[in-house]
Amino acid sequence: MTRASAPSPSPRFTSRDLALVAMFAGVVAALGLVPAFTPPGFSVPITAQSLGVMLAGAILGARRGGLALVLFLALVAVGLPLLAGGRGGLGVFAGPSVGFLIGYPVAAYVVGWLTERAGPTYKLHWGIVANFVGGVVVLYLLGIAGMAVVLGITPWAATVASWIYLPGDLVKVVVAAVVARGVHAAYPGLLGEGRAARESAEASEQQAV
Amino acid sequence: MTPLGLFLPGTSPLHRAPAGLKLLGLVAAGVVSVLLDEPWQVLVALGVVTVLYGVAGISLRVAVAQVRPLLWIALGTAVFHVLVNGPARAFVVVGVLAVLVLLAALVTLSTRTTDLVDAIVAVCRPLRRVGVDPDRVGLLLALGIRCVPVVVGLAQEVRDAQRARGLGASPRAFVVPLIVRSLRHADALGEALVARGAEDPVPDEG
């Protein structure tokens, strides 16, 4: 019940939420350490990191998943080399992949929002749809727009420069859904928490008053 | 001080300048870069960047390493612009890209991670009004910095366990246990935070 968070319209983040967000930022970083392959002629390596983006939304839901990726970007910005291939620092935000980076939290939020629409149990088919819309459609739109702006090229040219990532990302859409189903089975209750957390927060606020 | 960070210790004026000032300079450079339109202006900007790297005492090798990942995309972009807009435009676009990436990398190389964290927390202070608690932002950044090596350690354990049981490189057999362990760790972390009073109201110190 900090004074600062009281006027916020959205339910605030509890300490457990912050812990989940921080650990998941770590998971996204760890997935970036899985050996990367940079195809010649392309600036962004193919990695498991975008798998982490989809997983953040599919496992933590929209708010916490989105915040986990905001934190991940903040850690990159303060100088930790967490991006796939050991890149990091402020330089990457001036480079051509900035649109994909800004797209990470947006994509995680969209994946989480769509996943939450299906209710508290994770459904594989709906999860695949959510991962595709957030992790591919939304992410590529922002990524391609960013590339076109930074490099001064047409959106079509930027699209051509990004196609090589598509097959891998389509595989990741399915892998992320299978992984999310496994995690939700082993650790149930994460998706139904949105409403439960709001209610308990309201209850404890009333107690505090 | 963080073995994980990209910071290169030094005593140059750039190293001693406050992090907020360097970030402001970077924003200013980003604004100015939009106005660069002539090849000679870009050459001047590249000259300024070179001088700044010299002042910071950062070797040419390290400077080149900052832009090396962009080599191929820069070449492709240059070819595109030479064909569509002529060589002058190609030089301006690729030159501005190099200037901005080098400048941003220079701030990272010459500024401690902890100083940048403090700068982010300071930037968040005015956001108090819209419901962002700067102290919790600082807490979250500190937690995040700590969680990275924790999860990397968990990943090593999971990989060892996977090998011991003779499971190959199945992504599912690796990622599912990694995330479940991370979630359990987060539960313990959350309880530790509550036990240490992280949920208490923070005194407003402006």
Side-chain angles (χ1 to χ4, degrees), chain A residues 1-9 12-31 33-35 38-44 51 55 59-60 67 71 74-82 86-97 147 150-154 157 161 175 178-184 186-187 190, chain B residues 2 4-7 23 26 66 69-70 72-74 77 80-81 85 89 93 97 100-102 104-105 107-108 111-114 116-117 120 128-134 136-137 139-145 147-148 150-152 154-155 159 171-172 174-187 189-191 193-194 198-202 204:
Chain A
M1 267 80 348
T2 58
R3 247 162 23 92
S5 58
S8 166
R12 68 203 175 75
F13 290 95
T14 65
S15 288
R16 176 160 177 273
D17 286 337
L18 293 191
L20 284 169
V21 163
M23 281 305 278
F24 224 95
V27 169
V28 177
L31 289 175
L33 296 176
V34 176
T38 308
F42 298 84
S43 60
V44 189
L51 185 70
L55 285 173
I59 290 168
L60 295 184
L67 186 63
L71 173 60
L75 296 178
V76 170
V78 298
L80 304 190
L82 303 181
R87 297 168 309 140
L90 291 162
V92 294
F93 293 95
S97 52
M147 200 184 271
V150 170
L151 301 178
I153 58 180
T154 60
V175 172
V178 172
V179 168
R181 186 178 61 173
V183 171
H184 283 300
Y187 192 103
L190 280 169
Chain B
T2 42
L4 196 66
L6 297 165
F7 170 69
L23 290 173
L26 199 54
Q66 305 306 314
L70 299 177
W72 288 106
I73 193 91
T77 307
F80 175 90
H81 281 291
N85 304 310
R89 184 82 198 129
V93 169
L97 178 68
L100 286 180
V101 170
L102 282 169
V107 173
T108 299
T111 316
R112 280 178 199 283
T113 297
T114 44
L116 284 169
V117 169
I120 290 183
R128 220 177 240 289
R129 245 164 274 175
V130 293
V132 176
D133 182 345
R136 277 176 96 77
V137 172
L139 171 67
L140 187 58
L141 282 164
L143 285 179
I145 291 172
C147 282
V148 172
V150 170
V151 178
V152 171
L154 289 178
R159 201 175 288 269
R172 199 170 153 257
F174 172 65
V175 182
V176 173
L178 172 63
I179 292 179
V180 171
R181 280 185 195 211
S182 298
L183 294 174
R184 298 231 168 91
H185 191 96
D187 278 343
L189 185 61
E191 277 165 22
L193 285 173
V194 174
E199 207 94 44
D200 290 346
V202 269
D204 197 350

Side-chain angles (χ1 to χ4, degrees), chain A residues 19-179:
Chain A
L20 284 169
V21 163
M23 281 305 278
F24 224 95
V27 169
V28 177
L31 289 175
L33 296 176
V34 176
F37 166 69
T38 308
F42 298 84
S43 60
V44 189
I46 294 175
T47 66
Q49 205 143 52
S50 55
L51 185 70
V53 176
M54 296 180 221
L55 285 173
I59 290 168
L60 295 184
R63 290 170 61 244
R64 290 179 302 201
L67 186 63
L69 268 300
V70 171
L71 173 60
F72 174 74
L73 292 186
L75 296 178
V76 170
V78 298
L80 304 190
L82 303 181
L83 287 177
R87 297 168 309 140
L90 291 162
V92 294
F93 293 95
S97 52
V98 63
F100 286 100
L101 295 181
I102 293 172
Y104 276 179
V106 182
Y109 190 93
V110 171
V111 170
W113 189 85
L114 287 171
T115 305
E116 285 167 357
R117 295 310 103 192
T121 42
Y122 192 81
K123 291 165 193 73
L124 187 66
H125 292 93
W126 179 244
I128 290 175
V129 172
N131 291 345
F132 178 76
V133 173
V136 175
V137 178
V138 172
L139 188 61
Y140 275 62
L141 275 177
L142 291 166
I144 287 169
M147 200 184 271
V149 169
V150 170
L151 301 178
I153 58 180
T154 60
W156 174 243
T159 308
V160 171
S162 310
W163 70 268
I164 196 162
Y165 302 103
L166 195 58
D169 281 340
L170 291 177
V171 172
K172 286 179 218 162
V173 162
V174 178
V175 172
V178 172
V179 168

Side-chain angles (χ1 to χ4, degrees), chain B residues 146-167:
Chain B
R146 177 65 197 120
C147 282
V148 172
V150 170
V151 178
V152 171
L154 289 178
Q156 197 59 49
E157 281 177 26
V158 171
R159 201 175 288 269
D160 289 345
Q162 198 181 349
R163 284 219 191 91
R165 283 177 291 135
L167 291 169

Side-chain angles (χ1 to χ4, degrees), chain B residues 9-35:
Chain B
T11 54
S12 75
L14 264 163
H15 281 84
R16 278 177 281 140
L21 192 68
K22 283 184 269 192
L23 290 173
L24 265 181
L26 199 54
V27 172
V31 173
V32 171
S33 75
V34 179
L35 306 172

